[in-house]
Amino acid sequence: MGIERVNSRMSDIQSRILALQTQQATKTAAATSTATGTTSASGASFASALADAMGTQTTGAANKSYSLNSKGIPTELAAYGNGKIPANALSKVGNTNHKLWAPAAESLNQMIADAKAQGVTIGITDSYRSYEEQVDVARRKGLYSQGGLAAKPGTSEHGWGMATDLDLNAKAQKWMRENGEKYGFTENVPREPWHWAYKPKSV
Ligand SMILES: [Zn+2]
């Protein structure tokens, strides 16, 4: 485990402790008091004790929760309609021209930065798609239901600004499968290992 990873893990964990102290999860409370009582514990063992106690953690923007509709779409986006999200609800990914729903972009930026600090390069090839762009992709790549790679226009996760297509080498693909979930990103389409959907927590 590199020092950047430990430091990043530690800050995750410290923010999780604050959140957890207000919950009454018995198991976690016990683990927290044990770990914080051991002032001589090294950073790494402190981190691993808490990580073990808490299981999969989410980090940064992925910790926030949103009002979602029955299909898991944030109600603020559902009101606009798929492929019709206004620019002010989208944010740029890094210094690219790619855009996602602002919380998804924030989490993706953090994920790309954390991966980079660990020597893993995550590129991005696609992001938000307007309705017109979905029509174009369907024409070029064929409908998924007919063996192609495009969702029916108006139904794509890209049309909500909640999915990104990533450029991943083997190392990065492995890293994503191990870490994507912490940032809210899920590999959820068979035949498309590059497609990662953002799944916000529900309030
Ligand atoms: Zn995709």
Side-chain angles (χ1 to χ4, degrees):
M1 196 184 246
I3 191 67
E4 300 89 351
R5 177 103 177 100
V6 172
N7 286 340
S8 136
R9 195 77 167 155
M10 286 292 287
S11 68
D12 279 359
I13 285 160
Q14 279 155 1
S15 64
R16 289 289 290 173
I17 291 169
L18 286 173
L20 286 162
Q21 280 170 343
T22 63
Q23 299 170 5
Q24 294 302 313
T26 314
K27 180 182 167 196
T28 313
T32 303
S33 66
T34 303
T36 52
T38 313
T39 50
S40 62
S42 74
S45 67
F46 174 82
S48 77
L50 274 161
D52 288 350
M54 291 188 282
T56 301
Q57 307 171 76
T58 52
T59 185
N63 277 327
K64 296 178 193 157
S65 51
Y66 300 88
S67 168
L68 306 178
N69 72 11
S70 61
K71 293 180 176 171
I73 307 302
T75 51
E76 67 169 90
L77 293 180
Y80 298 123
N82 186 293
K84 303 187 188 311
I85 311 299
N88 65 10
L90 300 170
S91 286
K92 279 178 81 165
V93 179
N95 57 6
T96 71
N97 287 322
H98 289 287
K99 290 180 179 172
L100 289 177
W101 179 49
E106 186 186 340
S107 203
L108 179 56
N109 284 333
Q110 183 66 54
M111 185 174 77
I112 290 171
D114 289 354
K116 189 178 176 192
Q118 295 166 42
V120 174
T121 302
I122 294 176
I124 174 166
T125 60
D126 215 344
S127 50
Y128 172 67
R129 273 181 214 148
S130 69
Y131 183 84
E132 292 72 22
E133 287 165 336
Q134 293 177 53
V135 170
D136 181 56
V137 169
R139 191 172 56 229
R140 289 187 288 110
K141 298 191 175 174
L143 290 177
Y144 195 89
S145 59
Q146 297 170 7
L149 291 172
K152 183 169 171 251
T155 68
S156 172
E157 288 172 329
H158 290 282
W160 297 117
M162 292 177 65
T164 180
D165 292 341
L166 300 177
D167 182 13
L168 304 170
N169 61 20
K171 182 180 177 185
Q173 189 80 49
K174 181 169 183 286
W175 189 94
M176 279 300 298
R177 287 174 174 156
E178 288 168 356
N179 297 283
E181 199 180 327
K182 276 182 248 175
Y183 299 87
F185 286 93
T186 303
E187 179 185 3
N188 67 341
V189 179
R191 297 196 275 126
E192 297 192 6
W194 56 84
H195 178 96
W196 292 80
Y198 187 68
K199 300 290 180 186
K201 288 183 183 171
S202 175
V203 288

